[in-house]
Amino acid sequence: MLNWLKNKKHPEFWTNYLNEYENAKHRYVIISVESSGTNPYKDVMLSIGAVGIEKNELCIKDSFEIVFLQYIFNHDNGFSNEFIIESKMPKFIESEGIQRLIKYLKNATIIGHRVDIAIEMINVALEKLDCGKLKNQALDLEIMFRKWKEYSDDKRFSIEEIAHALKIPHENSDLSIEKAYTMGLSFLKLKKYLDIH
């Protein structure tokens, strides 16, 4: 009776993503999702920046950056579209941007600051495209930092505080790619301190 669930036809990009898990290549991707808030059903993604890590080094040529065209959300909430119009970054509607992100991510381990929020936002966008949830493993920088410093789980740290504690130079920026770069440097230090291979 439930055979139609097993034989559900997924979009080609999603089938290709699922097939990536047959490959053993291991890769880390640092991801920064800028959104209008943290509720994946009421808020929207505004931009995504990501950078890959290979052989314990940030690989700038393996980077990803997009701005989502969210004209309806911005209009309905009285926000300006000025930054979207003036931005030189590639701009896509959400469905196309998510497809590009999935093609970029492949089977990488996702690294982020409070990464569960970013993953949930992406999963909600995938749900709209009749896809499943991300299958990627994930590591959270805030959890790694607390573990390294032996802080309790209720202590919260911004990415700026983590970078400062790790003596990583950074500027406060709203650009998701710059945040991803700062997170990448933080991850590499924490990975070393926590002896993660």
Side-chain angles (χ1 to χ4, degrees), residues 35-134:
S35 63
S36 61
T38 59
N39 184 322
Y41 294 98
K42 293 181 182 176
D43 295 304
V44 296
M45 292 180 284
L46 303 172
S47 67
I48 295 179
V51 63
I53 292 181
E54 289 181 26
K55 300 177 184 170
N56 289 323
E57 292 182 355
L58 284 173
C59 187
I60 301 302
K61 68 179 181 184
D62 181 15
S63 63
F64 177 87
E65 187 175 22
I66 59 170
V67 170
F68 290 104
L69 298 172
Q70 298 289 8
Y71 294 123
I72 295 171
F73 177 85
N74 288 345
H75 178 268
D76 291 350
N77 291 285
F79 299 134
S80 170
N81 286 313
E82 189 174 324
F83 91 96
I84 293 174
I85 295 166
E86 292 181 3
S87 172
K88 293 184 180 8
M89 291 189 293
K91 302 166 193 75
F92 299 97
I93 59 172
E94 187 178 85
S95 60
E96 187 178 347
I98 286 298
Q99 289 178 46
R100 288 175 180 267
L101 174 66
I102 297 304
K103 288 175 187 173
Y104 168 77
L105 282 176
K106 300 179 182 170
N107 62 353
T109 298
I110 299 172
I111 313 297
H113 180 260
R114 300 182 187 149
V115 72
D116 57 322
I117 297 170
I119 289 173
E120 188 59 28
M121 296 287 274
I122 294 166
N123 282 339
V124 168
L126 286 168
E127 189 179 300
K128 294 175 193 172
L129 298 173
D130 293 325
C131 300
K133 293 184 177 195
L134 285 174

Side-chain angles (χ1 to χ4, degrees), residues 174-185:
D174 289 333
L175 294 177
S176 53
I177 193 69
E178 288 181 15
K179 286 186 180 180
Y181 183 76
T182 300
M183 285 190 261
L185 294 174

